C-alpha cells in the first residue's frame, strides 16, 4: 500500500514520529496494516552498527532486504532509521516503484545543537544513545532530503524541537491523508509509483530463480549426505532423485563442507552466467539437473 521513509539527524525524534504515525493510522476507520522496520527489530546496537563503514553498510542491507520482503499493496511500511544517505533513499524509492506502491519521506528537521543535547540527555538517563565520535560523524555525513528529487518527494516535514511530535501534528495528519486517500481517475495529488516492465519482470524472475535454485541444490546435497550415511561412507552409485533426472554416481566420500562449498560455487557461477546469457532455471527439476551435472564434473 505504501512505503514511508523517515529521515533526520541522530536523536531528532524519528522513532517517536514513527510511533505517532503508526498510532494515527490505526485510529482511522479502514485500520490498515502498519509495520515499523528499524534497528531494534533486529536487536542491533546503534553504536556497533555505525562504528565503521562495513557494519553500517551491512545494517542498511539488512533493513533494505526486510523492506523488500515486506512491501505489498496491503500494508504500510515505515522505515525508522537515519536514512541519511540520498543514494540509499533512492534505493528504497526503487523498491517502492518495483512493488507499485505509494512512497513518501517524513523529515524530522532539528538543529544539530538540539540533537546533540537530546543525545546527551539519553546517555545520562542510560537510554539508547550514540557515543560522541559516532554522533559527530553521522551529523557530518547527513544529506538533507530535497523535494525536487523524485526519491525525496512527496516530502512531509516535522519540527520536533519547536512543535513537538504528536499523532495530531499537522504533518502527521497530512501524511495519513496522503497514505489512505482513495485514488481514482480524478485524483491528481496522490502518486502511486508504477514499475517498469524491465524492473517488474526482473524482480519476480530473479526472486523465483534464487528460491528454486537454493531449495533444489539443498535437496540434492541432503540426498547425497543421506546416501553416503547409508553406505557407511562408501561410494554412492545409481542415486536417483526423480524419473527425469540423471543418476548420481560418486566414487569417493564427499564431506558436507565440500558439498556446501560446491553448492555455493555453483549458485554463484549460475548467477554470473545469467548476466550475459540465459536466466537461471526457475523450476526445481532444471536446477537439480544442472547441479547434478556440475557435481559429476567436479567430484
Amino acid at each position: 500500500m505504501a512505503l514511508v521513509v523517515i529521515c533526520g539527524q541522530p536523536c531528532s525524534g524519528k522513532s517517536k514520529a514513527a510511533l505517532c504515525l503508526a498510532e494515527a493510522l490505526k485510529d482511522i476507520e479502514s485500520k490498515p496494516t502498519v509495520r515499523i522496520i528499524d534497528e531494534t527489530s533486529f536487536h542491533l546496537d546503534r553504536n556497533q552498527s555505525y562504528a565503521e563503514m562495513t557494519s553500517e553498510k551491512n545494517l542498511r542491507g539488512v533493513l533494505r532486504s526486510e523492506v523488500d520482503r515486506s512491501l505489498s499493496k496491503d500494508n504500510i511500511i515505515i522505515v525508522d532509521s537515519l536514512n541519511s544517505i540520498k543514494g540509499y533513499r533512492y534505493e528504497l524509492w526503487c523498491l517502492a516503484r518495483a512493488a507499485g506502491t505509494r512512497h513518501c519521506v517524513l523529515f524530522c528537521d532539528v538543529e544539530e545543537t538540539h540533537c546533540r543535547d537530546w543525545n546527551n540527555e539519553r546517555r545520562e538517563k542510560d537510554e539508547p544513545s550514540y557515543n560522541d565520535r559516532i554522533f559527530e560523524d553521522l551529523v557530518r555525513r547527513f544529506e538533507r532530503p530535497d523535494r525536487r528529487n523524485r526519491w525525496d518527494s512527496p516530502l512531509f516535514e516535522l519540527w520536533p524541537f519547536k512543535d513537538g511530535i504528536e499523532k495530531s501534528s499537522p504533518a502527521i495528519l497530512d501524511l495519513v491523508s496522503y497514505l489512505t486517500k482513495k485514488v481514482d481517475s480524478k485524483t491528481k495529488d496522490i502518486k502511486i509509483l508504477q514499475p517498469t516492465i524491465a524492473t517488474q519482470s526482473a524482480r519476480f524472475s530473479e526472486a523465483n530463480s534464487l528460491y528454486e535454485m537454493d531449495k533444489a541444490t539443498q535437496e540434492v546435497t541432503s540426498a547425497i549426505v543421506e546416501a553416503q550415511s547409508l553406505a557407511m561412507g562408501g561410494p554412492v552409485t545409481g542415486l536417483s532423485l526423480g524419473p527425469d533426472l540423471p543418476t548420481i554416481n560418486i566414487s569417493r566420500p564427499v564431506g558436507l563442507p565440500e558439498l556446501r562449498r560446491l553448492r555455493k560455487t555453483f549458485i554463484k557461477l549460475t548467477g554470473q552466467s545469467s548476466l550475459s546469457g540465459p536466466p537461471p532455471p526457475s523450476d526445481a527439476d532444471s536446477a537439480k539437473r544442472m547441479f547434478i551435472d556440475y557435481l559429476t564434473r567436479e567430484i
Side-chain angles (χ1 to χ4, degrees), residues 286-298:
S286 296
K288 289 178 182 178
R289 186 177 300 106
M290 290 177 61
F291 186 44
I292 292 172
D293 291 341
Y294 173 77
L295 290 177
T296 301
R297 293 195 304 269
E298 295 296 320

Side-chain angles (χ1 to χ4, degrees), residues 57-76:
K57 183 178 179 180
N58 290 338
L59 167 65
R60 290 199 296 266
V62 168
L63 296 177
R64 182 176 56 246
S65 297
E66 189 62 24
V67 170
D68 193 18
R69 284 192 293 268
S70 304
L71 271 178
S72 74
K73 296 184 179 180
D74 301 319
N75 58 18
I76 296 176

Side-chain angles (χ1 to χ4, degrees), residues 42-268:
F42 303 94
H43 308 287
L44 297 171
D45 179 84
R46 61 182 64 191
N47 284 309
Q48 292 179 357
S49 298
Y50 293 102
E52 55 185 21
M53 294 306 297
T54 301
S55 57
E56 182 178 339
K57 183 178 179 180
N58 290 338
L59 167 65
R60 290 199 296 266
V62 168
L63 296 177
R64 182 176 56 246
S65 297
E66 189 62 24
V67 170
D68 193 18
R69 284 192 293 268
S70 304
L71 271 178
S72 74
K73 296 184 179 180
D74 301 319
N75 58 18
I76 296 176
I77 301 299
I78 302 173
V79 188
D80 172 23
S81 186
L82 291 175
N83 299 316
S84 57
I85 309 300
K86 62 182 179 181
Y88 182 61
R89 294 198 296 270
Y90 172 74
E91 292 178 11
L92 295 176
W93 176 84
C94 288
L95 294 181
R97 182 181 63 174
T101 66
R102 306 182 198 196
H103 166 275
C104 60
V105 174
L106 177 61
F107 177 35
C108 293
D109 193 354
V110 180
E111 293 183 8
E112 295 177 13
T113 53
H114 301 312
C115 293
R116 191 175 290 106
D117 291 340
W118 285 349
N119 186 56
N120 292 333
E121 289 176 8
R122 292 182 185 181
R123 186 184 306 158
E124 292 173 357
K125 296 177 181 179
D126 200 26
E127 296 176 351
S129 61
Y130 299 92
N131 67 46
D132 291 336
R133 181 185 66 82
I134 292 177
F135 180 87
E136 297 300 333
D137 178 60
L138 293 175
V139 166
R140 178 181 57 82
R141 293 191 290 113
F142 181 75
E143 297 175 335
R144 292 176 63 93
D146 185 343
R147 65 179 72 252
R148 292 174 297 180
N149 297 327
R150 52 184 175 174
W151 56 86
D152 288 334
S153 177
L155 180 65
F156 298 84
E157 296 179 89
L158 270 174
W159 293 273
F161 182 78
K162 294 189 297 183
D163 305 329
I165 306 174
E166 303 291 340
K167 64 180 182 180
S168 58
S169 297
I172 297 289
L173 296 179
D174 290 344
L175 185 48
V176 170
S177 175
Y178 178 82
L179 294 174
T180 58
K181 187 176 181 179
K182 292 184 178 180
V183 177
D184 54 34
S185 58
K186 299 180 181 179
T187 305
K188 296 182 179 180
D189 57 337
I190 305 295
K191 184 177 182 181
I192 298 179
L193 300 178
Q194 298 296 327
T196 62
I197 296 177
T199 303
Q200 191 173 35
S201 61
R203 175 186 175 91
F204 291 115
S205 63
E206 180 184 3
N208 190 53
S209 296
L210 289 175
Y211 173 78
E212 292 295 346
M213 183 74 68
D214 183 77
K215 182 180 178 182
T217 53
Q218 184 60 55
E219 289 180 8
V220 173
T221 301
S222 299
I224 293 175
V225 170
E226 183 179 356
Q228 286 188 138
S229 177
L230 294 175
M232 303 299 289
V236 176
T237 58
L239 175 61
S240 176
L241 299 182
D244 298 325
L245 297 175
T247 57
I248 302 174
N249 298 291
I250 300 176
S251 59
R252 65 173 176 84
V254 184
L256 184 57
E258 182 179 358
L259 286 172
R260 286 175 174 169
R261 178 180 60 79
L262 291 170
R263 176 174 173 264
K264 182 178 180 180
T265 303
F266 171 75
I267 293 177
K268 182 178 180 180

Side-chain angles (χ1 to χ4, degrees), residues 26-44:
K26 292 176 182 177
D27 287 345
I28 65 176
E29 184 177 352
S30 60
K31 296 189 177 348
T33 301
V34 182
R35 184 188 175 193
I36 298 176
I37 296 178
D38 56 8
E39 289 92 339
T40 57
S41 304
F42 303 94
H43 308 287
L44 297 171

